[in-house]
Amino acid sequence: MMMISKPTTMVVCLKGAATGQQQNRNMATLKQISMRLKSVTNIQKITQSMKMVSAAKYARAERELRQARPYGEGVRAFFEKSGATEAVETGDDNKLIVAITSDRGLCGAVHTNVAKTIRNELSNESVESPQSKVFCVGDKSRALLQRLYAQNIAVVANEVGRKPPTFLDASKVANELVQLNFNSGKIVFNRFKTVVSYQTEEVPLLSAKTMLAAPKLQLYDSIDQGVMESYQEFTVAALLYYTMKESACSEQSSRMTAMDNASKNAAEMIGKLTLTFNRTRQAVITRELIEIISGAAALE
Amino acid sequence: MASFLRSTKLVAKLTQGPTKCFSRNYADQMNFTFAAANQIFYANKNIKQVDVPSFSGSFGILPNHVPTLAVLRPGVVTVYEDEGTSKKIFVSSGTITVNEDSSVQVLAEEAHPIEDIDGSAARQVLQEAQSQLSTASGDVAKAEAAIAVEVAEALVLAAGN
């Protein structure tokens, strides 16, 4: 004991000058580490419960989406079979872009992807050509587009995403949309593929005029203006309903993945912080022991 | 004997060109989709006939119907399935699309089998709608109430069947 205490006392003596300062700092870090540890643990608890919630919501959204898929396909069948979608590209003025997002964040890049697609579209427009209007469904798309393209935003629909979208929501949006009097347009949304993947896609939005100009329309029997208008209005609502369902499902699945990743990252941080915490605590204990021992050795 | 016939038919089908097969499919089949926002009834199924109520009058759709577009009126859609059974479904509103390849899409805002409709509840809805129509002020409110009455009348009628 005495034998080895000699060099240790020397070492402690060397360190002695800095001890007061360092000990202070160490004491502080110990407290700081424990505080951080606590907050990270809380964050993990939150992300974990958010993951559970979105998992439950996702299960419901996926079930409802399976119901809505044939619906959306049914609407699009006429577009494809009548060749009306090809007619859209020619009509360039008075375009309308509908962004399907929600009010809620913390769900990966779903909203950013929608906004990015629209931003690319708008940046291609020259200043002198008539500008496209943007219809934002959900606050997130508005927040993402407002800085650069505030003058393009025509209507914003709020309160989206807390509850699963219904046909009533879709018809409210469709009602506003029809009043904008667009010539051609499209809906930008996230198509749900699997739990871990989705794809940002667009579906064409046709006005009654473009529908009447469809190349194969003369094949169709007994069509007049009134029928076409009602048909188009319902089609818009049905398409919106379908895209909202797709987007809601992608959002929930994406949030689930994002929250899962966040929980994993928090767990990793907790592990590292616990290690640092224990190491620092041990260092403090060791130092105190050394001080006592060296003090006792100095007295002898 | 029947299986023999079927196999010869199959051989005949196989020996025919693919285009022939294709056109044959369209000749007596109907690619029928009937979906509502709340439920899906048929997805690309083959059926015999479907009767739909539309604003230009009720009509039946058989395979190879002339392509048309129509708007659904509140009423009962009757679907005659391949097996000979028929199904009656109440629809509130929606669209009918018949395409040239004999695919039919009936899309409704809301649809329920008529067995699920409660007759007394339907009558109550009708009464409420009628009282709303009489008190409604303004064109929009009146039109909305009139639509509600129309749907409720169709509901009562469907429940009575």
Side-chain angles (χ1 to χ4, degrees), chain A residues 177-208:
Chain A
L177 225 155
V178 168
Q179 281 169 21
L180 286 175
N181 240 340
F182 58 95
N183 275 343
S184 67
K186 61 172 123 185
I187 304 176
V188 182
F189 70 108
N190 291 305
R191 195 172 65 83
F192 173 76
K193 279 161 83 181
T194 59
V195 189
V196 285
S197 70
Y198 58 87
Q199 198 169 13
T200 312
E201 283 186 3
E202 25 191 78
V203 288
L205 204 58
L206 306 181
S207 63

Side-chain angles (χ1 to χ4, degrees), chain A residues 32-89:
Chain A
Q32 274 168 359
I33 290 169
S34 78
M35 271 160 67
R36 288 226 25 216
L37 201 56
K38 216 189 223 170
S39 85
V40 175
T41 319
N42 282 340
I43 289 170
Q44 194 199 24
K45 270 184 205 156
I46 293 166
T47 54
Q48 252 165 3
S49 54
M50 275 176 90
K51 188 198 151 197
M52 301 285 252
V53 170
S54 58
K57 281 189 176 170
Y58 157 74
R60 190 177 166 194
E62 211 257 326
R63 204 170 51 234
E64 285 180 346
L65 178 64
R66 232 178 291 145
Q67 295 276 309
R69 273 243 164 100
Y71 203 63
E73 277 158 22
V75 178
R76 284 204 274 185
F78 167 70
F79 287 12
E80 279 148 25
K81 279 163 187 159
S82 68
T85 36
E86 288 135 50
V88 171
E89 265 116 70

Side-chain angles (χ1 to χ4, degrees), chain A residues 7-242:
Chain A
T8 32
T9 32
M10 268 177 72
V11 174
V12 166
C13 271
L14 276 175
K15 267 188 163 179
T19 326
Q21 208 183 9
Q22 206 184 1
Q23 199 180 25
N24 250 341
R25 207 196 297 155
N26 265 348
M27 289 299 270
T29 33
L30 203 57
K31 198 171 181 209
Q32 274 168 359
I33 290 169
S34 78
M35 271 160 67
R36 288 226 25 216
L37 201 56
K38 216 189 223 170
S39 85
V40 175
T41 319
N42 282 340
I43 289 170
Q44 194 199 24
K45 270 184 205 156
I46 293 166
T47 54
Q48 252 165 3
S49 54
M50 275 176 90
K51 188 198 151 197
M52 301 285 252
V53 170
S54 58
K57 281 189 176 170
Y58 157 74
R60 190 177 166 194
E62 211 257 326
R63 204 170 51 234
E64 285 180 346
L65 178 64
R66 232 178 291 145
Q67 295 276 309
R69 273 243 164 100
Y71 203 63
E73 277 158 22
V75 178
R76 284 204 274 185
F78 167 70
F79 287 12
E80 279 148 25
K81 279 163 187 159
S82 68
T85 36
E86 288 135 50
V88 171
E89 265 116 70
T90 52
D92 209 22
D93 55 332
N94 208 358
K95 258 170 55 176
L96 180 76
I97 305 172
V98 185
I100 306 284
T101 57
S102 83
D103 290 355
R104 299 288 173 104
L106 293 179
C107 50
V110 272
H111 302 326
T112 331
N113 280 344
V114 169
K116 208 194 281 166
T117 315
I118 294 171
R119 222 181 290 147
N120 286 343
E121 183 87 19
L122 291 176
S123 65
N124 287 336
E125 272 183 3
S126 54
V127 184
E128 63 263 27
S129 79
Q131 300 221 314
S132 310
K133 281 184 208 149
V134 179
F135 191 122
C136 295
V137 179
D139 262 342
K140 282 285 161 192
S141 56
R142 195 209 53 182
L144 287 163
L145 290 169
Q146 199 173 32
R147 206 158 55 87
L148 285 169
Y149 299 105
Q151 76 278 9
N152 292 62
I153 297 174
V155 190
V156 181
N158 273 2
E159 285 291 305
V160 190
R162 201 142 48 89
K163 282 179 182 157
T166 60
F167 199 88
L168 192 67
D169 296 335
S171 29
K172 271 183 196 161
V173 172
N175 207 13
E176 289 293 323
L177 225 155
V178 168
Q179 281 169 21
L180 286 175
N181 240 340
F182 58 95
N183 275 343
S184 67
K186 61 172 123 185
I187 304 176
V188 182
F189 70 108
N190 291 305
R191 195 172 65 83
F192 173 76
K193 279 161 83 181
T194 59
V195 189
V196 285
S197 70
Y198 58 87
Q199 198 169 13
T200 312
E201 283 186 3
E202 25 191 78
V203 288
L205 204 58
L206 306 181
S207 63
K209 228 197 298 177
T210 32
M211 274 192 183
L212 283 169
K216 284 190 188 163
L217 199 80
Q218 55 270 32
L219 287 171
Y220 289 80
D221 191 31
S222 70
I223 291 173
D224 54 48
Q225 193 74 34
V227 167
M228 208 56 189
E229 265 169 28
S230 316
Y231 186 87
Q232 186 257 349
E233 278 171 25
F234 186 81
T235 306
V236 167
L239 260 185
L240 278 167
Y241 174 73
Y242 163 67

